[in-house]
Amino acid sequence: MRATIWRGLRIAAAIALVVVPFGYAITGIHPDVLMGAGCGLAVGVGVGLRGGARGGAWTGILIGSVVGITVALIAGLIPGNGVGVLGVPALALAIGMIDGLGGSSLSGYRDVCRETFIMAVLLTLGFFPGWVALGILSAVRAEGILSFGGAALVVPVLAMPWVALLAGLLSHRREGWRGTRPPWMLVLGAALPVALLVYLAAIGRIDEVGGLSGIRLIGGIASLLFWGALVYPGAVFLLGRAVTRWLQPRLRVYARLADYLRVMWVPIGGFAVGYLTIIVLFAGFYGMLERFQPGAFSSAGTGVIDWLSFAFFNALAQDYAAIVPVSVAARALVGAHLILSVGWALVLFAAVMSSIQPRLDRIARSHAEEAED
């Protein structure tokens, strides 16, 4: 149990690190960022903690990050809050990415329905932080479930049969798919959101769609269903599946890279310690030279942070605009710093490679044997 909780926290932290900055880069509206982060965390942790081919921490981070970024992007681009139109593309994208995983168990309408229902519930939970920030839950308590806020609360669940049917129709021709005809219960469930939309229009809850009203309202609803419930989610589903199929073999490189990093972790740490030691040492030299020879550096600061920054950029052979060496002693000191930094990198790299090369060769042989199997 403790291992599962720790794994979920690591997945959530990685997704939040990706989605939250991206959300604020798109929009400064907190509810939009909350909805993106909430959906990404709910879907990513849910996928990452489940077993089978769909499980795995990296799989959860990938799917959760993409779903969260997509929700934040759509929420930031739509005028107003646009809560009601986020559930369908987010659900279609999540199912498409899961379907694109190698070894996916989505081989029939029953599997698609099960997976779509789970993702719909997770997305509903993920939308809650944004709904709270927008005050939708308060509006539901005041106006009832047929209000705009109430409709937003049930969009992922209402869209579940339609997205499952659409995913099945787009996947039923592939090899290994069981059953080409969708179950009649699924077709009936997919028709319910359409019937609900017509019912809301009939009782006056929807009096305008895309600027159309009155007699032309029926045409507006038909256009909304065609684009919003057929073309849009279908394209998002196919895009999500294609993205996952393209990324998955390329992400395996990082799994193999982890084996090499475990071997090189200690040498990398030793290199970092030595490099930082050189930076701190020369920061002291620069400050001492300026103290005993004022004017050796132009625009020299008086704080240790200034000298550490100057030494850091010198170690990378980069100019530091705020401080420039002027005197001969200052230029000689900068030159010595550059020579020592470059020499340290070259010598240590050669020493590390000679010491760990046998272990790297063993890892490479192991990966080659796995590829042959």
Side-chain angles (χ1 to χ4, degrees):
M1 184 66 180
R2 184 178 300 175
T4 301
I5 295 175
W6 175 241
R7 186 183 187 188
L9 290 175
R10 285 187 293 143
I11 296 173
I15 295 173
L17 185 63
V18 174
V19 176
V20 173
F22 187 88
Y24 279 111
I26 298 172
T27 174
I29 301 176
H30 300 307
D32 293 347
V33 179
L34 285 174
M35 284 188 289
C39 291
L41 292 176
V43 171
V45 174
V47 172
L49 294 183
R50 297 176 62 198
R54 299 178 306 279
W58 286 108
T59 301
I61 293 172
L62 171 64
I63 295 179
S65 298
V66 174
V67 170
I69 288 174
T70 302
V71 171
L73 179 62
I74 297 175
L77 294 178
I78 294 177
N81 47 49
V83 179
V85 300
L86 293 174
V88 178
L91 182 58
L93 179 63
I95 297 302
M97 295 193 71
I98 291 173
D99 188 44
L101 294 174
S104 173
S105 63
L106 302 185
S107 57
Y109 281 101
R110 177 173 297 184
D111 300 329
V112 172
C113 290
R114 181 192 67 248
E115 200 68 38
T116 308
F117 175 75
I118 295 174
M119 290 298 108
V121 173
L122 291 175
L123 283 172
T124 301
L125 296 175
F127 277 121
F128 260 81
W131 288 335
V132 172
L134 286 171
I136 288 180
L137 298 180
S138 300
V140 170
R141 288 193 293 267
E143 302 177 20
I145 195 65
L146 292 180
S147 65
F148 170 78
L153 290 177
V154 295
V155 162
V157 177
L158 287 178
M160 184 274 294
W162 184 266
V163 173
L165 178 62
L166 194 61
L169 292 175
L170 293 173
S171 306
H172 74 280
R173 292 183 178 275
R174 73 184 180 197
E175 185 179 356
W177 185 268
R178 299 190 303 268
T180 57
R181 290 187 177 182
W184 67 270
M185 287 292 292
L186 180 60
V187 177
L188 179 61
L192 285 178
V194 180
L196 178 61
L197 185 62
V198 175
Y199 170 72
L200 292 176
I203 65 176
R205 291 286 184 173
I206 300 179
D207 54 6
E208 186 174 350
V209 174
L212 304 176
S213 59
I215 297 176
R216 300 176 64 189
L217 179 61
I218 297 177
I221 292 177
S223 177
L224 176 66
L225 291 174
F226 176 76
W227 292 103
L230 184 62
V231 177
Y232 191 22
V236 171
F237 171 82
L238 293 176
L239 178 62
R241 186 169 66 182
V243 168
T244 307
R245 287 179 176 176
W246 187 85
L247 282 176
Q248 192 177 19
R250 289 158 179 83
L251 291 178
R252 292 196 186 102
V253 174
Y254 292 98
R256 296 178 178 179
L257 183 62
D259 296 333
Y260 291 98
L261 289 178
R262 278 192 289 269
V263 173
M264 299 179 66
W265 180 249
V266 174
I268 290 175
F271 169 79
V273 170
Y275 211 68
L276 291 175
T277 300
I278 295 174
I279 291 174
V280 173
L281 182 65
F282 273 87
F285 290 161
Y286 294 139
M288 183 178 64
L289 178 62
E290 177 65 23
R291 182 75 62 181
F292 288 98
Q293 191 183 83
F297 298 89
S298 65
S299 304
T302 57
V304 66
I305 300 300
D306 295 327
W307 295 118
L308 285 173
S309 301
F310 180 64
F312 177 79
F313 279 92
N314 279 337
L316 299 177
Q318 298 292 324
D319 292 333
Y320 187 66
I323 302 175
V324 178
V326 176
S327 69
V328 175
R331 292 175 182 176
L333 193 59
V334 169
H337 186 187
L338 287 173
I339 293 173
L340 185 58
S341 297
V342 174
W344 174 260
L346 293 177
V347 171
L348 188 64
F349 177 78
V352 167
M353 292 305 299
S354 63
S355 64
I356 66 175
Q357 189 62 46
R359 286 184 287 177
L360 296 180
D361 292 338
R362 287 196 297 269
I363 294 174
R365 287 194 297 269
S366 175
H367 289 165
E369 293 173 357
E370 292 177 0
E372 292 176 357
D373 295 338

mmCIF file with all atom_site columns, all heavy atoms in Angstrom, residues 8-34:
data_model
loop_
_atom_site.group_PDB
_atom_site.id
_atom_site.type_symbol
_atom_site.label_atom_id
_atom_site.label_alt_id
_atom_site.label_comp_id
_atom_site.label_asym_id
_atom_site.label_entity_id
_atom_site.label_seq_id
_atom_site.pdbx_PDB_ins_code
_atom_site.Cartn_x
_atom_site.Cartn_y
_atom_site.Cartn_z
_atom_site.occupancy
_atom_site.B_iso_or_equiv
_atom_site.pdbx_formal_charge
_atom_site.auth_seq_id
_atom_site.auth_comp_id
_atom_site.auth_asym_id
_atom_site.auth_atom_id
_atom_site.pdbx_PDB_model_num
ATOM 1   N N   . GLY A 1 8  ? 1.967   6.751  -6.836  1.00 0.00 ? 8  GLY A N   1
ATOM 2   C CA  . GLY A 1 8  ? 0.969   7.720  -7.274  1.00 0.00 ? 8  GLY A CA  1
ATOM 3   C C   . GLY A 1 8  ? 1.424   9.151  -7.053  1.00 0.00 ? 8  GLY A C   1
ATOM 4   O O   . GLY A 1 8  ? 1.179   10.032 -7.886  1.00 0.00 ? 8  GLY A O   1
ATOM 5   N N   . LEU A 1 9  ? 2.106   9.407  -5.940  1.00 0.00 ? 9  LEU A N   1
ATOM 6   C CA  . LEU A 1 9  ? 2.605   10.753 -5.668  1.00 0.00 ? 9  LEU A CA  1
ATOM 7   C C   . LEU A 1 9  ? 3.678   11.157 -6.668  1.00 0.00 ? 9  LEU A C   1
ATOM 8   O O   . LEU A 1 9  ? 3.728   12.317 -7.107  1.00 0.00 ? 9  LEU A O   1
ATOM 9   C CB  . LEU A 1 9  ? 3.165   10.822 -4.242  1.00 0.00 ? 9  LEU A CB  1
ATOM 10  C CG  . LEU A 1 9  ? 2.132   10.739 -3.110  1.00 0.00 ? 9  LEU A CG  1
ATOM 11  C CD1 . LEU A 1 9  ? 2.830   10.703 -1.761  1.00 0.00 ? 9  LEU A CD1 1
ATOM 12  C CD2 . LEU A 1 9  ? 1.160   11.913 -3.180  1.00 0.00 ? 9  LEU A CD2 1
ATOM 13  N N   . ARG A 1 10 ? 4.536   10.228 -7.054  1.00 0.00 ? 10 ARG A N   1
ATOM 14  C CA  . ARG A 1 10 ? 5.571   10.547 -8.041  1.00 0.00 ? 10 ARG A CA  1
ATOM 15  C C   . ARG A 1 10 ? 4.954   10.858 -9.398  1.00 0.00 ? 10 ARG A C   1
ATOM 16  O O   . ARG A 1 10 ? 5.389   11.789 -10.092 1.00 0.00 ? 10 ARG A O   1
ATOM 17  C CB  . ARG A 1 10 ? 6.554   9.383  -8.164  1.00 0.00 ? 10 ARG A CB  1
ATOM 18  C CG  . ARG A 1 10 ? 7.529   9.276  -6.984  1.00 0.00 ? 10 ARG A CG  1
ATOM 19  C CD  . ARG A 1 10 ? 8.561   8.218  -7.247  1.00 0.00 ? 10 ARG A CD  1
ATOM 20  N NE  . ARG A 1 10 ? 7.949   6.898  -7.276  1.00 0.00 ? 10 ARG A NE  1
ATOM 21  C CZ  . ARG A 1 10 ? 8.310   5.924  -8.086  1.00 0.00 ? 10 ARG A CZ  1
ATOM 22  N NH1 . ARG A 1 10 ? 9.257   6.124  -8.981  1.00 0.00 ? 10 ARG A NH1 1
ATOM 23  N NH2 . ARG A 1 10 ? 7.719   4.754  -8.033  1.00 0.00 ? 10 ARG A NH2 1
ATOM 24  N N   . ILE A 1 11 ? 3.940   10.076 -9.784  1.00 0.00 ? 11 ILE A N   1
ATOM 25  C CA  . ILE A 1 11 ? 3.260   10.337 -11.060 1.00 0.00 ? 11 ILE A CA  1
ATOM 26  C C   . ILE A 1 11 ? 2.580   11.700 -11.018 1.00 0.00 ? 11 ILE A C   1
ATOM 27  O O   . ILE A 1 11 ? 2.677   12.493 -11.963 1.00 0.00 ? 11 ILE A O   1
ATOM 28  C CB  . ILE A 1 11 ? 2.231   9.219  -11.350 1.00 0.00 ? 11 ILE A CB  1
ATOM 29  C CG1 . ILE A 1 11 ? 2.938   7.886  -11.544 1.00 0.00 ? 11 ILE A CG1 1
ATOM 30  C CG2 . ILE A 1 11 ? 1.398   9.562  -12.579 1.00 0.00 ? 11 ILE A CG2 1
ATOM 31  C CD1 . ILE A 1 11 ? 1.993   6.707  -11.669 1.00 0.00 ? 11 ILE A CD1 1
ATOM 32  N N   . ALA A 1 12 ? 1.885   11.986 -9.911  1.00 0.00 ? 12 ALA A N   1
ATOM 33  C CA  . ALA A 1 12 ? 1.187   13.272 -9.788  1.00 0.00 ? 12 ALA A CA  1
ATOM 34  C C   . ALA A 1 12 ? 2.157   14.444 -9.822  1.00 0.00 ? 12 ALA A C   1
ATOM 35  O O   . ALA A 1 12 ? 1.889   15.472 -10.457 1.00 0.00 ? 12 ALA A O   1
ATOM 36  C CB  . ALA A 1 12 ? 0.371   13.283 -8.493  1.00 0.00 ? 12 ALA A CB  1
ATOM 37  N N   . ALA A 1 13 ? 3.291   14.305 -9.141  1.00 0.00 ? 13 ALA A N   1
ATOM 38  C CA  . ALA A 1 13 ? 4.269   15.398 -9.124  1.00 0.00 ? 13 ALA A CA  1
ATOM 39  C C   . ALA A 1 13 ? 4.824   15.660 -10.523 1.00 0.00 ? 13 ALA A C   1
ATOM 40  O O   . ALA A 1 13 ? 4.982   16.816 -10.937 1.00 0.00 ? 13 ALA A O   1
ATOM 41  C CB  . ALA A 1 13 ? 5.406   15.063 -8.153  1.00 0.00 ? 13 ALA A CB  1
ATOM 42  N N   . ALA A 1 14 ? 5.114   14.598 -11.273 1.00 0.00 ? 14 ALA A N   1
ATOM 43  C CA  . ALA A 1 14 ? 5.654   14.765 -12.625 1.00 0.00 ? 14 ALA A CA  1
ATOM 44  C C   . ALA A 1 14 ? 4.626   15.430 -13.542 1.00 0.00 ? 14 ALA A C   1
ATOM 45  O O   . ALA A 1 14 ? 4.969   16.316 -14.341 1.00 0.00 ? 14 ALA A O   1
ATOM 46  C CB  . ALA A 1 14 ? 6.080   13.412 -13.191 1.00 0.00 ? 14 ALA A CB  1
ATOM 47  N N   . ILE A 1 15 ? 3.363   15.020 -13.446 1.00 0.00 ? 15 ILE A N   1
ATOM 48  C CA  . ILE A 1 15 ? 2.324   15.605 -14.299 1.00 0.00 ? 15 ILE A CA  1
ATOM 49  C C   . ILE A 1 15 ? 2.105   17.072 -13.941 1.00 0.00 ? 15 ILE A C   1
ATOM 50  O O   . ILE A 1 15 ? 1.979   17.931 -14.825 1.00 0.00 ? 15 ILE A O   1
ATOM 51  C CB  . ILE A 1 15 ? 1.015   14.806 -14.163 1.00 0.00 ? 15 ILE A CB  1
ATOM 52  C CG1 . ILE A 1 15 ? 1.193   13.388 -14.707 1.00 0.00 ? 15 ILE A CG1 1
ATOM 53  C CG2 . ILE A 1 15 ? -0.133  15.506 -14.892 1.00 0.00 ? 15 ILE A CG2 1
ATOM 54  C CD1 . ILE A 1 15 ? 0.016   12.484 -14.466 1.00 0.00 ? 15 ILE A CD1 1
ATOM 55  N N   . ALA A 1 16 ? 2.032   17.373 -12.645 1.00 0.00 ? 16 ALA A N   1
ATOM 56  C CA  . ALA A 1 16 ? 1.833   18.767 -12.229 1.00 0.00 ? 16 ALA A CA  1
ATOM 57  C C   . ALA A 1 16 ? 2.984   19.645 -12.692 1.00 0.00 ? 16 ALA A C   1
ATOM 58  O O   . ALA A 1 16 ? 2.780   20.796 -13.088 1.00 0.00 ? 16 ALA A O   1
ATOM 59  C CB  . ALA A 1 16 ? 1.688   18.836 -10.706 1.00 0.00 ? 16 ALA A CB  1
ATOM 60  N N   . LEU A 1 17 ? 4.208   19.111 -12.671 1.00 0.00 ? 17 LEU A N   1
ATOM 61  C CA  . LEU A 1 17 ? 5.374   19.877 -13.105 1.00 0.00 ? 17 LEU A CA  1
ATOM 62  C C   . LEU A 1 17 ? 5.287   20.243 -14.583 1.00 0.00 ? 17 LEU A C   1
ATOM 63  O O   . LEU A 1 17 ? 5.800   21.280 -15.008 1.00 0.00 ? 17 LEU A O   1
ATOM 64  C CB  . LEU A 1 17 ? 6.646   19.058 -12.848 1.00 0.00 ? 17 LEU A CB  1
ATOM 65  C CG  . LEU A 1 17 ? 7.986   19.751 -13.124 1.00 0.00 ? 17 LEU A CG  1
ATOM 66  C CD1 . LEU A 1 17 ? 8.177   20.944 -12.198 1.00 0.00 ? 17 LEU A CD1 1
ATOM 67  C CD2 . LEU A 1 17 ? 9.134   18.759 -12.972 1.00 0.00 ? 17 LEU A CD2 1
ATOM 68  N N   . VAL A 1 18 ? 4.598   19.410 -15.381 1.00 0.00 ? 18 VAL A N   1
ATOM 69  C CA  . VAL A 1 18 ? 4.452   19.684 -16.808 1.00 0.00 ? 18 VAL A CA  1
ATOM 70  C C   . VAL A 1 18 ? 3.239   20.563 -17.087 1.00 0.00 ? 18 VAL A C   1
ATOM 71  O O   . VAL A 1 18 ? 3.315   21.549 -17.825 1.00 0.00 ? 18 VAL A O   1
ATOM 72  C CB  . VAL A 1 18 ? 4.345   18.358 -17.596 1.00 0.00 ? 18 VAL A CB  1
ATOM 73  C CG1 . VAL A 1 18 ? 4.052   18.624 -19.064 1.00 0.00 ? 18 VAL A CG1 1
ATOM 74  C CG2 . VAL A 1 18 ? 5.624   17.541 -17.453 1.00 0.00 ? 18 VAL A CG2 1
ATOM 75  N N   . VAL A 1 19 ? 2.090   20.215 -16.497 1.00 0.00 ? 19 VAL A N   1
ATOM 76  C CA  . VAL A 1 19 ? 0.814   20.829 -16.882 1.00 0.00 ? 19 VAL A CA  1
ATOM 77  C C   . VAL A 1 19 ? 0.654   22.230 -16.304 1.00 0.00 ? 19 VAL A C   1
ATOM 78  O O   . VAL A 1 19 ? 0.209   23.149 -17.006 1.00 0.00 ? 19 VAL A O   1
ATOM 79  C CB  . VAL A 1 19 ? -0.362  19.923 -16.452 1.00 0.00 ? 19 VAL A CB  1
ATOM 80  C CG1 . VAL A 1 19 ? -1.701  20.604 -16.757 1.00 0.00 ? 19 VAL A CG1 1
ATOM 81  C CG2 . VAL A 1 19 ? -0.283  18.579 -17.159 1.00 0.00 ? 19 VAL A CG2 1
ATOM 82  N N   . VAL A 1 20 ? 0.989   22.417 -15.032 1.00 0.00 ? 20 VAL A N   1
ATOM 83  C CA  . VAL A 1 20 ? 0.718   23.713 -14.387 1.00 0.00 ? 20 VAL A CA  1
ATOM 84  C C   . VAL A 1 20 ? 1.487   24.851 -15.054 1.00 0.00 ? 20 VAL A C   1
ATOM 85  O O   . VAL A 1 20 ? 0.890   25.886 -15.403 1.00 0.00 ? 20 VAL A O   1
ATOM 86  C CB  . VAL A 1 20 ? 1.028   23.626 -12.880 1.00 0.00 ? 20 VAL A CB  1
ATOM 87  C CG1 . VAL A 1 20 ? 0.923   25.007 -12.238 1.00 0.00 ? 20 VAL A CG1 1
ATOM 88  C CG2 . VAL A 1 20 ? 0.043   22.665 -12.202 1.00 0.00 ? 20 VAL A CG2 1
ATOM 89  N N   . PRO A 1 21 ? 2.804   24.757 -15.276 1.00 0.00 ? 21 PRO A N   1
ATOM 90  C CA  . PRO A 1 21 ? 3.479   25.859 -15.976 1.00 0.00 ? 21 PRO A CA  1
ATOM 91  C C   . PRO A 1 21 ? 2.942   26.081 -17.377 1.00 0.00 ? 21 PRO A C   1
ATOM 92  O O   . PRO A 1 21 ? 2.800   27.220 -17.823 1.00 0.00 ? 21 PRO A O   1
ATOM 93  C CB  . PRO A 1 21 ? 4.952   25.415 -16.001 1.00 0.00 ? 21 PRO A CB  1
ATOM 94  C CG  . PRO A 1 21 ? 5.078   24.431 -14.898 1.00 0.00 ? 21 PRO A CG  1
ATOM 95  C CD  . PRO A 1 21 ? 3.774   23.727 -14.837 1.00 0.00 ? 21 PRO A CD  1
ATOM 96  N N   . PHE A 1 22 ? 2.625   24.992 -18.100 1.00 0.00 ? 22 PHE A N   1
ATOM 97  C CA  . PHE A 1 22 ? 2.080   25.135 -19.443 1.00 0.00 ? 22 PHE A CA  1
ATOM 98  C C   . PHE A 1 22 ? 0.727   25.835 -19.399 1.00 0.00 ? 22 PHE A C   1
ATOM 99  O O   . PHE A 1 22 ? 0.430   26.689 -20.247 1.00 0.00 ? 22 PHE A O   1
ATOM 100 C CB  . PHE A 1 22 ? 1.930   23.762 -20.094 1.00 0.00 ? 22 PHE A CB  1
ATOM 101 C CG  . PHE A 1 22 ? 1.541   23.815 -21.553 1.00 0.00 ? 22 PHE A CG  1
ATOM 102 C CD1 . PHE A 1 22 ? 2.508   23.899 -22.531 1.00 0.00 ? 22 PHE A CD1 1
ATOM 103 C CD2 . PHE A 1 22 ? 0.216   23.790 -21.936 1.00 0.00 ? 22 PHE A CD2 1
ATOM 104 C CE1 . PHE A 1 22 ? 2.162   23.947 -23.864 1.00 0.00 ? 22 PHE A CE1 1
ATOM 105 C CE2 . PHE A 1 22 ? -0.148  23.850 -23.260 1.00 0.00 ? 22 PHE A CE2 1
ATOM 106 C CZ  . PHE A 1 22 ? 0.837   23.925 -24.239 1.00 0.00 ? 22 PHE A CZ  1
ATOM 107 N N   . GLY A 1 23 ? -0.104  25.498 -18.400 1.00 0.00 ? 23 GLY A N   1
ATOM 108 C CA  . GLY A 1 23 ? -1.403  26.135 -18.281 1.00 0.00 ? 23 GLY A CA  1
ATOM 109 C C   . GLY A 1 23 ? -1.293  27.627 -18.035 1.00 0.00 ? 23 GLY A C   1
ATOM 110 O O   . GLY A 1 23 ? -1.995  28.429 -18.659 1.00 0.00 ? 23 GLY A O   1
ATOM 111 N N   . TYR A 1 24 ? -0.392  28.017 -17.154 1.00 0.00 ? 24 TYR A N   1
ATOM 112 C CA  . TYR A 1 24 ? -0.227  29.447 -16.875 1.00 0.00 ? 24 TYR A CA  1
ATOM 113 C C   . TYR A 1 24 ? 0.460   30.167 -18.028 1.00 0.00 ? 24 TYR A C   1
ATOM 114 O O   . TYR A 1 24 ? 0.328   31.391 -18.156 1.00 0.00 ? 24 TYR A O   1
ATOM 115 C CB  . TYR A 1 24 ? 0.557   29.646 -15.586 1.00 0.00 ? 24 TYR A CB  1
ATOM 116 C CG  . TYR A 1 24 ? -0.305  29.501 -14.365 1.00 0.00 ? 24 TYR A CG  1
ATOM 117 C CD1 . TYR A 1 24 ? -0.156  28.422 -13.502 1.00 0.00 ? 24 TYR A CD1 1
ATOM 118 C CD2 . TYR A 1 24 ? -1.296  30.437 -14.073 1.00 0.00 ? 24 TYR A CD2 1
ATOM 119 C CE1 . TYR A 1 24 ? -0.959  28.287 -12.384 1.00 0.00 ? 24 TYR A CE1 1
ATOM 120 C CE2 . TYR A 1 24 ? -2.104  30.308 -12.962 1.00 0.00 ? 24 TYR A CE2 1
ATOM 121 C CZ  . TYR A 1 24 ? -1.932  29.232 -12.114 1.00 0.00 ? 24 TYR A CZ  1
ATOM 122 O OH  . TYR A 1 24 ? -2.736  29.103 -11.018 1.00 0.00 ? 24 TYR A OH  1
ATOM 123 N N   . ALA A 1 25 ? 1.213   29.444 -18.865 1.00 0.00 ? 25 ALA A N   1
ATOM 124 C CA  . ALA A 1 25 ? 1.780   30.069 -20.051 1.00 0.00 ? 25 ALA A CA  1
ATOM 125 C C   . ALA A 1 25 ? 0.703   30.390 -21.079 1.00 0.00 ? 25 ALA A C   1
ATOM 126 O O   . ALA A 1 25 ? 0.853   31.320 -21.873 1.00 0.00 ? 25 ALA A O   1
ATOM 127 C CB  . ALA A 1 25 ? 2.830   29.151 -20.685 1.00 0.00 ? 25 ALA A CB  1
ATOM 128 N N   . ILE A 1 26 ? -0.401  29.617 -21.074 1.00 0.00 ? 26 ILE A N   1
ATOM 129 C CA  . ILE A 1 26 ? -1.499  29.858 -22.003 1.00 0.00 ? 26 ILE A CA  1
ATOM 130 C C   . ILE A 1 26 ? -2.437  30.925 -21.480 1.00 0.00 ? 26 ILE A C   1
ATOM 131 O O   . ILE A 1 26 ? -2.824  31.856 -22.187 1.00 0.00 ? 26 ILE A O   1
ATOM 132 C CB  . ILE A 1 26 ? -2.300  28.557 -22.243 1.00 0.00 ? 26 ILE A CB  1
ATOM 133 C CG1 . ILE A 1 26 ? -1.404  27.495 -22.873 1.00 0.00 ? 26 ILE A CG1 1
ATOM 134 C CG2 . ILE A 1 26 ? -3.514  28.813 -23.125 1.00 0.00 ? 26 ILE A CG2 1
ATOM 135 C CD1 . ILE A 1 26 ? -2.054  26.153 -22.959 1.00 0.00 ? 26 ILE A CD1 1
ATOM 136 N N   . THR A 1 27 ? -2.842  30.793 -20.234 1.00 0.00 ? 27 THR A N   1
ATOM 137 C CA  . THR A 1 27 ? -3.847  31.682 -19.668 1.00 0.00 ? 27 THR A CA  1
ATOM 138 C C   . THR A 1 27 ? -3.515  31.944 -18.204 1.00 0.00 ? 27 THR A C   1
ATOM 139 O O   . THR A 1 27 ? -2.953  31.089 -17.531 1.00 0.00 ? 27 THR A O   1
ATOM 140 C CB  . THR A 1 27 ? -5.252  31.057 -19.772 1.00 0.00 ? 27 THR A CB  1
ATOM 141 O OG1 . THR A 1 27 ? -6.190  31.895 -19.091 1.00 0.00 ? 27 THR A OG1 1
ATOM 142 C CG2 . THR A 1 27 ? -5.288  29.671 -19.176 1.00 0.00 ? 27 THR A CG2 1
ATOM 143 N N   . GLY A 1 28 ? -3.899  33.103 -17.737 1.00 0.00 ? 28 GLY A N   1
ATOM 144 C CA  . GLY A 1 28 ? -3.707  33.424 -16.329 1.00 0.00 ? 28 GLY A CA  1
ATOM 145 C C   . GLY A 1 28 ? -4.934  33.137 -15.496 1.00 0.00 ? 28 GLY A C   1
ATOM 146 O O   . GLY A 1 28 ? -4.983  33.508 -14.324 1.00 0.00 ? 28 GLY A O   1
ATOM 147 N N   . ILE A 1 29 ? -5.927  32.468 -16.091 1.00 0.00 ? 29 ILE A N   1
ATOM 148 C CA  . ILE A 1 29 ? -7.174  32.164 -15.380 1.00 0.00 ? 29 ILE A CA  1
ATOM 149 C C   . ILE A 1 29 ? -6.959  30.905 -14.548 1.00 0.00 ? 29 ILE A C   1
ATOM 150 O O   . ILE A 1 29 ? -6.712  29.818 -15.088 1.00 0.00 ? 29 ILE A O   1
ATOM 151 C CB  . ILE A 1 29 ? -8.332  31.976 -16.369 1.00 0.00 ? 29 ILE A CB  1
ATOM 152 C CG1 . ILE A 1 29 ? -8.512  33.250 -17.211 1.00 0.00 ? 29 ILE A CG1 1
ATOM 153 C CG2 . ILE A 1 29 ? -9.625  31.648 -15.630 1.00 0.00 ? 29 ILE A CG2 1
ATOM 154 C CD1 . ILE A 1 29 ? -9.564  33.130 -18.280 1.00 0.00 ? 29 ILE A CD1 1
ATOM 155 N N   . HIS A 1 30 ? -7.075  31.035 -13.258 1.00 0.00 ? 30 HIS A N   1
ATOM 156 C CA  . HIS A 1 30 ? -6.796  29.913 -12.364 1.00 0.00 ? 30 HIS A CA  1
ATOM 157 C C   . HIS A 1 30 ? -7.719  28.712 -12.586 1.00 0.00 ? 30 HIS A C   1
ATOM 158 O O   . HIS A 1 30 ? -7.243  27.574 -12.576 1.00 0.00 ? 30 HIS A O   1
ATOM 159 C CB  . HIS A 1 30 ? -6.880  30.367 -10.908 1.00 0.00 ? 30 HIS A CB  1
ATOM 160 C CG  . HIS A 1 30 ? -5.910  31.467 -10.569 1.00 0.00 ? 30 HIS A CG  1
ATOM 161 N ND1 . HIS A 1 30 ? -4.562  31.378 -10.828 1.00 0.00 ? 30 HIS A ND1 1
ATOM 162 C CD2 . HIS A 1 30 ? -6.104  32.688 -9.998  1.00 0.00 ? 30 HIS A CD2 1
ATOM 163 C CE1 . HIS A 1 30 ? -3.946  32.486 -10.437 1.00 0.00 ? 30 HIS A CE1 1
ATOM 164 N NE2 . HIS A 1 30 ? -4.862  33.305 -9.941  1.00 0.00 ? 30 HIS A NE2 1
ATOM 165 N N   . PRO A 1 31 ? -9.045  28.887 -12.775 1.00 0.00 ? 31 PRO A N   1
ATOM 166 C CA  . PRO A 1 31 ? -9.889  27.708 -13.001 1.00 0.00 ? 31 PRO A CA  1
ATOM 167 C C   . PRO A 1 31 ? -9.485  26.891 -14.220 1.00 0.00 ? 31 PRO A C   1
ATOM 168 O O   . PRO A 1 31 ? -9.574  25.663 -14.206 1.00 0.00 ? 31 PRO A O   1
ATOM 169 C CB  . PRO A 1 31 ? -11.293 28.311 -13.166 1.00 0.00 ? 31 PRO A CB  1
ATOM 170 C CG  . PRO A 1 31 ? -11.250 29.588 -12.419 1.00 0.00 ? 31 PRO A CG  1
ATOM 171 C CD  . PRO A 1 31 ? -9.855  30.106 -12.610 1.00 0.00 ? 31 PRO A CD  1
ATOM 172 N N   . ASP A 1 32 ? -9.045  27.556 -15.300 1.00 0.00 ? 32 ASP A N   1
ATOM 173 C CA  . ASP A 1 32 ? -8.600  26.810 -16.483 1.00 0.00 ? 32 ASP A CA  1
ATOM 174 C C   . ASP A 1 32 ? -7.393  25.944 -16.159 1.00 0.00 ? 32 ASP A C   1
ATOM 175 O O   . ASP A 1 32 ? -7.312  24.781 -16.581 1.00 0.00 ? 32 ASP A O   1
ATOM 176 C CB  . ASP A 1 32 ? -8.247  27.787 -17.610 1.00 0.00 ? 32 ASP A CB  1
ATOM 177 C CG  . ASP A 1 32 ? -9.455  28.533 -18.139 1.00 0.00 ? 32 ASP A CG  1
ATOM 178 O OD1 . ASP A 1 32 ? -10.584 28.120 -17.810 1.00 0.00 ? 32 ASP A OD1 1
ATOM 179 O OD2 . ASP A 1 32 ? -9.279  29.527 -18.868 1.00 0.00 ? 32 ASP A OD2 1
ATOM 180 N N   . VAL A 1 33 ? -6.455  26.504 -15.422 1.00 0.00 ? 33 VAL A N   1
ATOM 181 C CA  . VAL A 1 33 ? -5.264  25.735 -15.036 1.00 0.00 ? 33 VAL A CA  1
ATOM 182 C C   . VAL A 1 33 ? -5.649  24.604 -14.084 1.00 0.00 ? 33 VAL A C   1
ATOM 183 O O   . VAL A 1 33 ? -5.130  23.485 -14.182 1.00 0.00 ? 33 VAL A O   1
ATOM 184 C CB  . VAL A 1 33 ? -4.220  26.657 -14.393 1.00 0.00 ? 33 VAL A CB  1
ATOM 185 C CG1 . VAL A 1 33 ? -2.984  25.866 -13.971 1.00 0.00 ? 33 VAL A CG1 1
ATOM 186 C CG2 . VAL A 1 33 ? -3.813  27.764 -15.355 1.00 0.00 ? 33 VAL A CG2 1
ATOM 187 N N   . LEU A 1 34 ? -6.579  24.881 -13.172 1.00 0.00 ? 34 LEU A N   1
ATOM 188 C CA  . LEU A 1 34 ? -7.021  23.850 -12.234 1.00 0.00 ? 34 LEU A CA  1
ATOM 189 C C   . LEU A 1 34 ? -7.696  22.691 -12.957 1.00 0.00 ? 34 LEU A C   1
ATOM 190 O O   . LEU A 1 34 ? -7.487  21.523 -12.607 1.00 0.00 ? 34 LEU A O   1
ATOM 191 C CB  . LEU A 1 34 ? -7.970  24.451 -11.200 1.00 0.00 ? 34 LEU A CB  1
ATOM 192 C CG  . LEU A 1 34 ? -7.332  25.317 -10.115 1.00 0.00 ? 34 LEU A CG  1
ATOM 193 C CD1 . LEU A 1 34 ? -8.412  25.963 -9.251  1.00 0.00 ? 34 LEU A CD1 1
ATOM 194 C CD2 . LEU A 1 34 ? -6.392  24.484 -9.242  1.00 0.00 ? 34 LEU A CD2 1
#
